Amino acid sequence: MTADQRPAAPLVQDMLTLPRRAEDGGRVNLIGLTRPQLRAALIEAGTPEGQAKMREAQVWQWLYHWGVRDFAAMSNLSKDYRALLARHFDIRLPEVVSRQLSADGTRKYLLRIAGGHEVEAVYIPEESRGTLCISSQVGCTLTCSFCHTGTQKLVRNLTAGEIVGQVMVARDDLGEWPVPGAPKNETRLISNVVLMGMGEPLYNFDNVRDAMRVVMDGEGLSLSRRRITLSTSGVVPEIARTAEEIGCLLAVSFHATTDAVRDRLVPINKRWNIDTLLGALRDYPRLSNSERITFEYVMLKGINDSDEDARRLVRLIRGIPAKINLIPFNEWPGAPYERSDWARIEAFADIIFKAGYASPIRTPRGEDIMAACGQLKSATERARKSRAEIAAETGGAR
Ligand code: SAH
Ligand code: SF4
């Protein structure tokens, strides 16, 4: 069964669980509600049950196909119904605080969300596609020692609306909403979405899943599940759920070929080690009906970049349909590592390639604006984890 054929989640009746804010007069934000949640919300606001399915379809199309932000513009709804919507609901997106443009065309957005917190999203244009890298949390509870986000405290999980909202504000900025009457634009500026920004998506599973259901819906933003890649540091219990409930492509932050080194680089390895992680990954392609898993591997000079590492990596992943993405380490102020030399990265890539795996080296993008992988960290959330906190989270040894 593919993700598209799965039965819809049960109708959510409990409106109290929907995001409301006192400063908005208690109005519920429609952005990020799944279809069943949207329908339930419309019924609770007074839509007759017999009309709810049609209203859900209409409102959904205005929000996600046309990108409309004002109920008054929903021209196929009666004036009274538009007024009812405006009384009960909002259409609220993260606020763009700043947008930085790199010399290579990469755009980094600093976005403000409820509570005054900030997250980043990055748009990376390439010749044949455009990828939007989005965040799932403000900060991260994990403490991968090479990652800038890992030095920032977890402030909170993003809501589904804040995750979907990142895609919508990037579409606004790129001018990518359809224009009524104009010919359909076949080339999509945002053709791919990667959950590789701030945070560990599988520690915010429900919101990430709901957000991706909105993003994948064919009547709206309409990105296929094969154009969405979720990157995890290895939260093993949630990997099968990702296959079953989202069905997108999976990337895993592998980064080391022995438990001793991985414990240091990706401390979640102390909880679920390489062997346990590989076990979960072996089942993923079948469960998700997807193709290859991407193994992300950050190249750190003298730490994980030897020929022996490359050979061990190939042995470890044998039997898993895989692509290995080599990421030259992106430096940040105070980082405890250096990027491997280019010749070393190429020698490593060569061993993997000869073993039969695609081994693209990820070109660092947007380095001049600190937009590359692992460099995201919001300037306002300055609180750095204390050594004691890091030790507590990683079980002591670092
Ligand atoms: N938390 C998730 C997704 C966000 S990080 C995860 O860890 O997978 C996205 C990717 O960037 C991960 O593979 C991560 O390990 C990598 N990364 C983090 N810091 C980096 C850095 N400084 N240089 C290069 N890659 C980095
Ligand atoms: Fe968190 Fe991923 Fe950074 Fe690790 S690499 S600290 S999981 S964002």
Side-chain angles (χ1 to χ4, degrees), residues 136-137 139-152 196-201 203 231-235 253 255 265-268 374 376 385:
S136 56
Q137 299 182 310
C140 188
T141 47
L142 300 173
T143 48
C144 302
S145 50
F146 54 87
C147 173
H148 205 200
T149 311
T151 66
Q152 183 183 321
M196 294 187 187
M198 298 160 69
E200 168 48 61
Y203 275 153
S231 175
T232 179
S233 57
V235 184
S253 294
H255 303 325
L265 298 182
V266 190
I268 201 176
L376 304 185
K385 285 175 179 150

PDB file of all heavy atoms in Angstrom, residues 136-137 139-152 196-201 203 231-235 253 255 265-268 374 376 385, ligand 2:
ATOM      1  N   SER A 136      12.477  21.594  11.910  1.00  0.00           N
ATOM      2  CA  SER A 136      11.386  20.926  12.615  1.00  0.00           C
ATOM      3  C   SER A 136      11.320  21.306  14.088  1.00  0.00           C
ATOM      4  O   SER A 136      10.328  21.044  14.764  1.00  0.00           O
ATOM      5  CB  SER A 136      11.524  19.401  12.480  1.00  0.00           C
ATOM      6  OG  SER A 136      12.794  18.986  12.942  1.00  0.00           O
ATOM      7  N   GLN A 137      12.388  21.891  14.609  1.00  0.00           N
ATOM      8  CA  GLN A 137      12.420  22.304  16.013  1.00  0.00           C
ATOM      9  C   GLN A 137      13.196  23.621  16.115  1.00  0.00           C
ATOM     10  O   GLN A 137      14.007  23.936  15.242  1.00  0.00           O
ATOM     11  CB  GLN A 137      13.173  21.265  16.865  1.00  0.00           C
ATOM     12  CG  GLN A 137      12.544  19.877  16.864  1.00  0.00           C
ATOM     13  CD  GLN A 137      13.300  18.897  17.764  1.00  0.00           C
ATOM     14  OE1 GLN A 137      14.522  18.774  17.665  1.00  0.00           O
ATOM     15  NE2 GLN A 137      12.580  18.205  18.636  1.00  0.00           N
ATOM     16  N   GLY A 139      16.156  24.843  17.811  1.00  0.00           N
ATOM     17  CA  GLY A 139      17.254  24.164  18.501  1.00  0.00           C
ATOM     18  C   GLY A 139      17.119  22.659  18.327  1.00  0.00           C
ATOM     19  O   GLY A 139      16.443  22.188  17.414  1.00  0.00           O
ATOM     20  N   CYS A 140      17.769  21.913  19.209  1.00  0.00           N
ATOM     21  CA  CYS A 140      17.748  20.450  19.098  1.00  0.00           C
ATOM     22  C   CYS A 140      18.116  19.878  20.461  1.00  0.00           C
ATOM     23  O   CYS A 140      18.982  20.421  21.138  1.00  0.00           O
ATOM     24  CB  CYS A 140      18.758  20.000  18.037  1.00  0.00           C
ATOM     25  SG  CYS A 140      18.664  18.241  17.661  1.00  0.00           S
ATOM     26  N   THR A 141      17.464  18.799  20.842  1.00  0.00           N
ATOM     27  CA  THR A 141      17.840  18.192  22.136  1.00  0.00           C
ATOM     28  C   THR A 141      19.141  17.410  22.015  1.00  0.00           C
ATOM     29  O   THR A 141      19.762  17.110  23.016  1.00  0.00           O
ATOM     30  CB  THR A 141      16.812  17.135  22.615  1.00  0.00           C
ATOM     31  OG1 THR A 141      16.497  16.278  21.534  1.00  0.00           O
ATOM     32  CG2 THR A 141      15.579  17.752  23.191  1.00  0.00           C
ATOM     33  N   LEU A 142      19.498  17.061  20.799  1.00  0.00           N
ATOM     34  CA  LEU A 142      20.685  16.233  20.627  1.00  0.00           C
ATOM     35  C   LEU A 142      21.923  17.118  20.532  1.00  0.00           C
ATOM     36  O   LEU A 142      21.814  18.323  20.370  1.00  0.00           O
ATOM     37  CB  LEU A 142      20.511  15.338  19.398  1.00  0.00           C
ATOM     38  CG  LEU A 142      19.276  14.424  19.560  1.00  0.00           C
ATOM     39  CD1 LEU A 142      18.991  13.667  18.290  1.00  0.00           C
ATOM     40  CD2 LEU A 142      19.480  13.463  20.717  1.00  0.00           C
ATOM     41  N   THR A 143      23.060  16.487  20.644  1.00  0.00           N
ATOM     42  CA  THR A 143      24.282  17.281  20.798  1.00  0.00           C
ATOM     43  C   THR A 143      25.390  16.744  19.905  1.00  0.00           C
ATOM     44  O   THR A 143      26.508  16.530  20.368  1.00  0.00           O
ATOM     45  CB  THR A 143      24.741  17.224  22.272  1.00  0.00           C
ATOM     46  OG1 THR A 143      24.727  15.848  22.673  1.00  0.00           O
ATOM     47  CG2 THR A 143      23.838  18.002  23.191  1.00  0.00           C
ATOM     48  N   CYS A 144      25.076  16.526  18.642  1.00  0.00           N
ATOM     49  CA  CYS A 144      26.107  16.031  17.731  1.00  0.00           C
ATOM     50  C   CYS A 144      27.248  17.049  17.748  1.00  0.00           C
ATOM     51  O   CYS A 144      27.019  18.254  17.607  1.00  0.00           O
ATOM     52  CB  CYS A 144      25.532  15.868  16.335  1.00  0.00           C
ATOM     53  SG  CYS A 144      24.122  14.744  16.355  1.00  0.00           S
ATOM     54  N   SER A 145      28.468  16.549  17.934  1.00  0.00           N
ATOM     55  CA  SER A 145      29.548  17.458  18.304  1.00  0.00           C
ATOM     56  C   SER A 145      30.052  18.313  17.141  1.00  0.00           C
ATOM     57  O   SER A 145      30.780  19.264  17.354  1.00  0.00           O
ATOM     58  CB  SER A 145      30.704  16.649  18.902  1.00  0.00           C
ATOM     59  OG  SER A 145      31.024  15.564  18.055  1.00  0.00           O
ATOM     60  N   PHE A 146      29.633  17.988  15.900  1.00  0.00           N
ATOM     61  CA  PHE A 146      30.089  18.752  14.732  1.00  0.00           C
ATOM     62  C   PHE A 146      29.013  19.720  14.246  1.00  0.00           C
ATOM     63  O   PHE A 146      29.171  20.390  13.232  1.00  0.00           O
ATOM     64  CB  PHE A 146      30.446  17.778  13.592  1.00  0.00           C
ATOM     65  CG  PHE A 146      29.299  16.855  13.293  1.00  0.00           C
ATOM     66  CD1 PHE A 146      28.319  17.221  12.400  1.00  0.00           C
ATOM     67  CD2 PHE A 146      29.164  15.656  13.983  1.00  0.00           C
ATOM     68  CE1 PHE A 146      27.236  16.405  12.167  1.00  0.00           C
ATOM     69  CE2 PHE A 146      28.077  14.827  13.754  1.00  0.00           C
ATOM     70  CZ  PHE A 146      27.106  15.202  12.843  1.00  0.00           C
ATOM     71  N   CYS A 147      27.877  19.778  14.942  1.00  0.00           N
ATOM     72  CA  CYS A 147      26.710  20.513  14.431  1.00  0.00           C
ATOM     73  C   CYS A 147      26.449  21.771  15.244  1.00  0.00           C
ATOM     74  O   CYS A 147      26.357  21.721  16.468  1.00  0.00           O
ATOM     75  CB  CYS A 147      25.484  19.597  14.458  1.00  0.00           C
ATOM     76  SG  CYS A 147      23.953  20.445  14.045  1.00  0.00           S
ATOM     77  N   HIS A 148      26.313  22.868  14.554  1.00  0.00           N
ATOM     78  CA  HIS A 148      26.099  24.150  15.219  1.00  0.00           C
ATOM     79  C   HIS A 148      24.756  24.185  15.943  1.00  0.00           C
ATOM     80  O   HIS A 148      24.644  24.704  17.051  1.00  0.00           O
ATOM     81  CB  HIS A 148      26.160  25.265  14.173  1.00  0.00           C
ATOM     82  CG  HIS A 148      26.540  26.599  14.726  1.00  0.00           C
ATOM     83  ND1 HIS A 148      26.266  27.763  14.076  1.00  0.00           N
ATOM     84  CD2 HIS A 148      27.184  26.946  15.865  1.00  0.00           C
ATOM     85  CE1 HIS A 148      26.715  28.776  14.802  1.00  0.00           C
ATOM     86  NE2 HIS A 148      27.281  28.309  15.878  1.00  0.00           N
ATOM     87  N   THR A 149      23.729  23.601  15.296  1.00  0.00           N
ATOM     88  CA  THR A 149      22.411  23.582  15.943  1.00  0.00           C
ATOM     89  C   THR A 149      22.488  22.829  17.269  1.00  0.00           C
ATOM     90  O   THR A 149      21.788  23.149  18.222  1.00  0.00           O
ATOM     91  CB  THR A 149      21.364  22.909  15.027  1.00  0.00           C
ATOM     92  OG1 THR A 149      21.440  23.476  13.727  1.00  0.00           O
ATOM     93  CG2 THR A 149      19.956  23.095  15.572  1.00  0.00           C
ATOM     94  N   GLY A 150      23.353  21.819  17.313  1.00  0.00           N
ATOM     95  CA  GLY A 150      23.481  21.002  18.517  1.00  0.00           C
ATOM     96  C   GLY A 150      24.005  21.764  19.730  1.00  0.00           C
ATOM     97  O   GLY A 150      23.890  21.291  20.856  1.00  0.00           O
ATOM     98  N   THR A 151      24.572  22.942  19.503  1.00  0.00           N
ATOM     99  CA  THR A 151      25.042  23.732  20.654  1.00  0.00           C
ATOM    100  C   THR A 151      23.929  24.614  21.207  1.00  0.00           C
ATOM    101  O   THR A 151      24.111  25.318  22.192  1.00  0.00           O
ATOM    102  CB  THR A 151      26.225  24.650  20.268  1.00  0.00           C
ATOM    103  OG1 THR A 151      25.755  25.632  19.335  1.00  0.00           O
ATOM    104  CG2 THR A 151      27.363  23.870  19.656  1.00  0.00           C
ATOM    105  N   GLN A 152      22.780  24.580  20.532  1.00  0.00           N
ATOM    106  CA  GLN A 152      21.671  25.440  20.954  1.00  0.00           C
ATOM    107  C   GLN A 152      20.650  24.603  21.700  1.00  0.00           C
ATOM    108  O   GLN A 152      20.347  23.484  21.294  1.00  0.00           O
ATOM    109  CB  GLN A 152      21.040  26.029  19.687  1.00  0.00           C
ATOM    110  CG  GLN A 152      19.932  26.987  19.922  1.00  0.00           C
ATOM    111  CD  GLN A 152      19.349  27.453  18.583  1.00  0.00           C
ATOM    112  OE1 GLN A 152      20.066  27.673  17.621  1.00  0.00           O
ATOM    113  NE2 GLN A 152      18.049  27.605  18.538  1.00  0.00           N
ATOM    114  N   MET A 196      16.071  18.927   6.804  1.00  0.00           N
ATOM    115  CA  MET A 196      17.486  18.887   7.189  1.00  0.00           C
ATOM    116  C   MET A 196      17.924  20.206   7.821  1.00  0.00           C
ATOM    117  O   MET A 196      19.104  20.525   7.862  1.00  0.00           O
ATOM    118  CB  MET A 196      18.378  18.609   5.970  1.00  0.00           C
ATOM    119  CG  MET A 196      18.191  17.250   5.366  1.00  0.00           C
ATOM    120  SD  MET A 196      19.407  16.942   4.087  1.00  0.00           S
ATOM    121  CE  MET A 196      18.802  15.378   3.439  1.00  0.00           C
ATOM    122  N   GLY A 197      16.949  20.989   8.266  1.00  0.00           N
ATOM    123  CA  GLY A 197      17.304  22.250   8.909  1.00  0.00           C
ATOM    124  C   GLY A 197      17.557  22.028  10.386  1.00  0.00           C
ATOM    125  O   GLY A 197      18.195  21.048  10.776  1.00  0.00           O
ATOM    126  N   MET A 198      17.029  22.915  11.207  1.00  0.00           N
ATOM    127  CA  MET A 198      17.268  22.775  12.644  1.00  0.00           C
ATOM    128  C   MET A 198      16.351  21.710  13.229  1.00  0.00           C
ATOM    129  O   MET A 198      15.171  21.644  12.906  1.00  0.00           O
ATOM    130  CB  MET A 198      16.992  24.128  13.319  1.00  0.00           C
ATOM    131  CG  MET A 198      17.935  25.215  12.824  1.00  0.00           C
ATOM    132  SD  MET A 198      17.319  26.876  13.140  1.00  0.00           S
ATOM    133  CE  MET A 198      17.453  26.956  14.907  1.00  0.00           C
ATOM    134  N   GLY A 199      16.929  20.904  14.121  1.00  0.00           N
ATOM    135  CA  GLY A 199      16.094  19.971  14.874  1.00  0.00           C
ATOM    136  C   GLY A 199      16.124  18.543  14.370  1.00  0.00           C
ATOM    137  O   GLY A 199      16.576  18.264  13.261  1.00  0.00           O
ATOM    138  N   GLU A 200      15.638  17.652  15.223  1.00  0.00           N
ATOM    139  CA  GLU A 200      15.545  16.232  14.885  1.00  0.00           C
ATOM    140  C   GLU A 200      14.074  15.933  14.568  1.00  0.00           C
ATOM    141  O   GLU A 200      13.232  15.866  15.478  1.00  0.00           O
ATOM    142  CB  GLU A 200      16.042  15.398  16.082  1.00  0.00           C
ATOM    143  CG  GLU A 200      15.755  13.909  16.002  1.00  0.00           C
ATOM    144  CD  GLU A 200      16.137  13.268  14.663  1.00  0.00           C
ATOM    145  OE1 GLU A 200      17.312  13.292  14.302  1.00  0.00           O
ATOM    146  OE2 GLU A 200      15.224  12.749  13.979  1.00  0.00           O
ATOM    147  N   PRO A 201      13.754  15.748  13.292  1.00  0.00           N
ATOM    148  CA  PRO A 201      12.336  15.612  12.919  1.00  0.00           C
ATOM    149  C   PRO A 201      11.623  14.450  13.621  1.00  0.00           C
ATOM    150  O   PRO A 201      10.439  14.553  13.909  1.00  0.00           O
ATOM    151  CB  PRO A 201      12.362  15.407  11.409  1.00  0.00           C
ATOM    152  CG  PRO A 201      13.777  15.343  10.997  1.00  0.00           C
ATOM    153  CD  PRO A 201      14.651  15.775  12.122  1.00  0.00           C
ATOM    154  N   TYR A 203      11.941  13.502  16.602  1.00  0.00           N
ATOM    155  CA  TYR A 203      11.535  13.848  17.966  1.00  0.00           C
ATOM    156  C   TYR A 203      10.355  14.829  17.959  1.00  0.00           C
ATOM    157  O   TYR A 203       9.967  15.352  18.988  1.00  0.00           O
ATOM    158  CB  TYR A 203      12.715  14.413  18.757  1.00  0.00           C
ATOM    159  CG  TYR A 203      13.567  13.323  19.384  1.00  0.00           C
ATOM    160  CD1 TYR A 203      14.913  13.530  19.658  1.00  0.00           C
ATOM    161  CD2 TYR A 203      13.012  12.093  19.726  1.00  0.00           C
ATOM    162  CE1 TYR A 203      15.691  12.527  20.237  1.00  0.00           C
ATOM    163  CE2 TYR A 203      13.775  11.095  20.304  1.00  0.00           C
ATOM    164  CZ  TYR A 203      15.106  11.307  20.552  1.00  0.00           C
ATOM    165  OH  TYR A 203      15.862  10.314  21.127  1.00  0.00           O
ATOM    166  N   SER A 231      15.638  13.697   7.213  1.00  0.00           N
ATOM    167  CA  SER A 231      16.947  13.276   7.715  1.00  0.00           C
ATOM    168  C   SER A 231      16.877  13.077   9.219  1.00  0.00           C
ATOM    169  O   SER A 231      16.421  13.955   9.953  1.00  0.00           O
ATOM    170  CB  SER A 231      17.990  14.348   7.384  1.00  0.00           C
ATOM    171  OG  SER A 231      19.235  14.009   7.962  1.00  0.00           O
ATOM    172  N   THR A 232      17.322  11.908   9.671  1.00  0.00           N
ATOM    173  CA  THR A 232      17.333  11.641  11.106  1.00  0.00           C
ATOM    174  C   THR A 232      18.726  11.250  11.563  1.00  0.00           C
ATOM    175  O   THR A 232      19.501  10.660  10.813  1.00  0.00           O
ATOM    176  CB  THR A 232      16.340  10.521  11.493  1.00  0.00           C
ATOM    177  OG1 THR A 232      16.424  10.316  12.912  1.00  0.00           O
ATOM    178  CG2 THR A 232      16.641   9.207  10.791  1.00  0.00           C
ATOM    179  N   SER A 233      18.989  11.572  12.817  1.00  0.00           N
ATOM    180  CA  SER A 233      20.264  11.176  13.403  1.00  0.00           C
ATOM    181  C   SER A 233      20.229   9.698  13.801  1.00  0.00           C
ATOM    182  O   SER A 233      21.251   9.137  14.166  1.00  0.00           O
ATOM    183  CB  SER A 233      20.538  12.039  14.627  1.00  0.00           C
ATOM    184  OG  SER A 233      19.466  11.897  15.533  1.00  0.00           O
ATOM    185  N   GLY A 234      19.016   9.087  13.741  1.00  0.00           N
ATOM    186  CA  GLY A 234      18.914   7.661  14.054  1.00  0.00           C
ATOM    187  C   GLY A 234      17.993   7.355  15.222  1.00  0.00           C
ATOM    188  O   GLY A 234      18.355   6.592  16.114  1.00  0.00           O
ATOM    189  N   VAL A 235      16.799   7.950  15.210  1.00  0.00           N
ATOM    190  CA  VAL A 235      15.815   7.681  16.261  1.00  0.00           C
ATOM    191  C   VAL A 235      15.093   6.381  15.863  1.00  0.00           C
ATOM    192  O   VAL A 235      14.038   6.396  15.230  1.00  0.00           O
ATOM    193  CB  VAL A 235      14.828   8.857  16.415  1.00  0.00           C
ATOM    194  CG1 VAL A 235      13.867   8.618  17.572  1.00  0.00           C
ATOM    195  CG2 VAL A 235      15.587  10.163  16.621  1.00  0.00           C
ATOM    196  N   SER A 253      21.894  10.302   9.295  1.00  0.00           N
ATOM    197  CA  SER A 253      23.190  10.911   9.611  1.00  0.00           C
ATOM    198  C   SER A 253      24.095   9.837  10.168  1.00  0.00           C
ATOM    199  O   SER A 253      24.129   9.616  11.370  1.00  0.00           O
ATOM    200  CB  SER A 253      22.987  12.030  10.634  1.00  0.00           C
ATOM    201  OG  SER A 253      22.249  13.061  10.046  1.00  0.00           O
ATOM    202  N   HIS A 255      27.756   9.015   9.487  1.00  0.00           N
ATOM    203  CA  HIS A 255      28.951   9.755   9.932  1.00  0.00           C
ATOM    204  C   HIS A 255      30.095   8.974  10.540  1.00  0.00           C
ATOM    205  O   HIS A 255      31.154   9.563  10.790  1.00  0.00           O
ATOM    206  CB  HIS A 255      28.564  10.881  10.901  1.00  0.00           C
ATOM    207  CG  HIS A 255      27.579  11.857  10.377  1.00  0.00           C
ATOM    208  ND1 HIS A 255      27.542  12.256   9.060  1.00  0.00           N
ATOM    209  CD2 HIS A 255      26.565  12.534  10.978  1.00  0.00           C
ATOM    210  CE1 HIS A 255      26.554  13.127   8.886  1.00  0.00           C
ATOM    211  NE2 HIS A 255      25.936  13.301  10.025  1.00  0.00           N
ATOM    212  N   LEU A 265      30.480  11.407  17.817  1.00  0.00           N
ATOM    213  CA  LEU A 265      29.967  12.362  16.830  1.00  0.00           C
ATOM    214  C   LEU A 265      28.450  12.530  16.930  1.00  0.00           C
ATOM    215  O   LEU A 265      27.919  13.633  16.851  1.00  0.00           O
ATOM    216  CB  LEU A 265      30.324  11.905  15.411  1.00  0.00           C
ATOM    217  CG  LEU A 265      31.811  11.796  15.082  1.00  0.00           C
ATOM    218  CD1 LEU A 265      31.987  11.376  13.623  1.00  0.00           C
ATOM    219  CD2 LEU A 265      32.528  13.125  15.323  1.00  0.00           C
ATOM    220  N   VAL A 266      27.753  11.412  17.070  1.00  0.00           N
ATOM    221  CA  VAL A 266      26.277  11.411  17.075  1.00  0.00           C
ATOM    222  C   VAL A 266      25.857  10.688  18.358  1.00  0.00           C
ATOM    223  O   VAL A 266      25.615   9.484  18.347  1.00  0.00           O
ATOM    224  CB  VAL A 266      25.718  10.667  15.837  1.00  0.00           C
ATOM    225  CG1 VAL A 266      24.218  10.858  15.684  1.00  0.00           C
ATOM    226  CG2 VAL A 266      26.430  11.092  14.559  1.00  0.00           C
ATOM    227  N   PRO A 267      25.790  11.391  19.465  1.00  0.00           N
ATOM    228  CA  PRO A 267      25.655  10.715  20.772  1.00  0.00           C
ATOM    229  C   PRO A 267      24.406   9.840  20.911  1.00  0.00           C
ATOM    230  O   PRO A 267      24.376   8.961  21.769  1.00  0.00           O
ATOM    231  CB  PRO A 267      25.612  11.867  21.782  1.00  0.00           C
ATOM    232  CG  PRO A 267      26.182  13.036  21.063  1.00  0.00           C
ATOM    233  CD  PRO A 267      25.960  12.845  19.591  1.00  0.00           C
ATOM    234  N   ILE A 268      23.419  10.023  20.046  1.00  0.00           N
ATOM    235  CA  ILE A 268      22.236   9.161  20.119  1.00  0.00           C
ATOM    236  C   ILE A 268      22.643   7.709  19.845  1.00  0.00           C
ATOM    237  O   ILE A 268      21.903   6.766  20.169  1.00  0.00           O
ATOM    238  CB  ILE A 268      21.151   9.665  19.134  1.00  0.00           C
ATOM    239  CG1 ILE A 268      19.780   9.145  19.554  1.00  0.00           C
ATOM    240  CG2 ILE A 268      21.446   9.278  17.714  1.00  0.00           C
ATOM    241  CD1 ILE A 268      18.642   9.651  18.705  1.00  0.00           C
ATOM    242  N   GLY A 374      24.172  22.161   8.838  1.00  0.00           N
ATOM    243  CA  GLY A 374      24.747  22.150  10.176  1.00  0.00           C
ATOM    244  C   GLY A 374      25.219  23.500  10.662  1.00  0.00           C
ATOM    245  O   GLY A 374      25.776  23.609  11.739  1.00  0.00           O
ATOM    246  N   LEU A 376      23.090  26.149  10.831  1.00  0.00           N
ATOM    247  CA  LEU A 376      21.950  26.955  11.229  1.00  0.00           C
ATOM    248  C   LEU A 376      21.880  27.079  12.750  1.00  0.00           C
ATOM    249  O   LEU A 376      21.980  26.107  13.473  1.00  0.00           O
ATOM    250  CB  LEU A 376      20.644  26.338  10.704  1.00  0.00           C
ATOM    251  CG  LEU A 376      20.584  26.110   9.201  1.00  0.00           C
ATOM    252  CD1 LEU A 376      19.208  25.616   8.794  1.00  0.00           C
ATOM    253  CD2 LEU A 376      20.935  27.374   8.436  1.00  0.00           C
ATOM    254  N   LYS A 385      24.141  25.501  25.391  1.00  0.00           N
ATOM    255  CA  LYS A 385      24.032  24.434  26.386  1.00  0.00           C
ATOM    256  C   LYS A 385      25.258  24.492  27.295  1.00  0.00           C
ATOM    257  O   LYS A 385      26.363  24.714  26.823  1.00  0.00           O
ATOM    258  CB  LYS A 385      23.998  23.089  25.679  1.00  0.00           C
ATOM    259  CG  LYS A 385      22.673  22.822  25.023  1.00  0.00           C
ATOM    260  CD  LYS A 385      22.716  21.556  24.229  1.00  0.00           C
ATOM    261  CE  LYS A 385      21.365  21.297  23.607  1.00  0.00           C
ATOM    262  NZ  LYS A 385      21.419  20.579  22.369  1.00  0.00           N
TER     263      LYS A 385
HETATM  264 FE1  SF4 B   2      20.381  17.811  16.123  1.00  0.00          FE
HETATM  265 FE2  SF4 B   2      20.784  16.821  13.633  1.00  0.00          FE
HETATM  266 FE3  SF4 B   2      22.420  18.732  14.630  1.00  0.00          FE
HETATM  267 FE4  SF4 B   2      22.502  16.240  15.613  1.00  0.00          FE
HETATM  268  S1  SF4 B   2      23.030  16.896  13.494  1.00  0.00           S
HETATM  269  S2  SF4 B   2      22.486  18.147  16.827  1.00  0.00           S
HETATM  270  S3  SF4 B   2      20.352  15.654  15.504  1.00  0.00           S
HETATM  271  S4  SF4 B   2      20.229  18.958  14.195  1.00  0.00           S
END
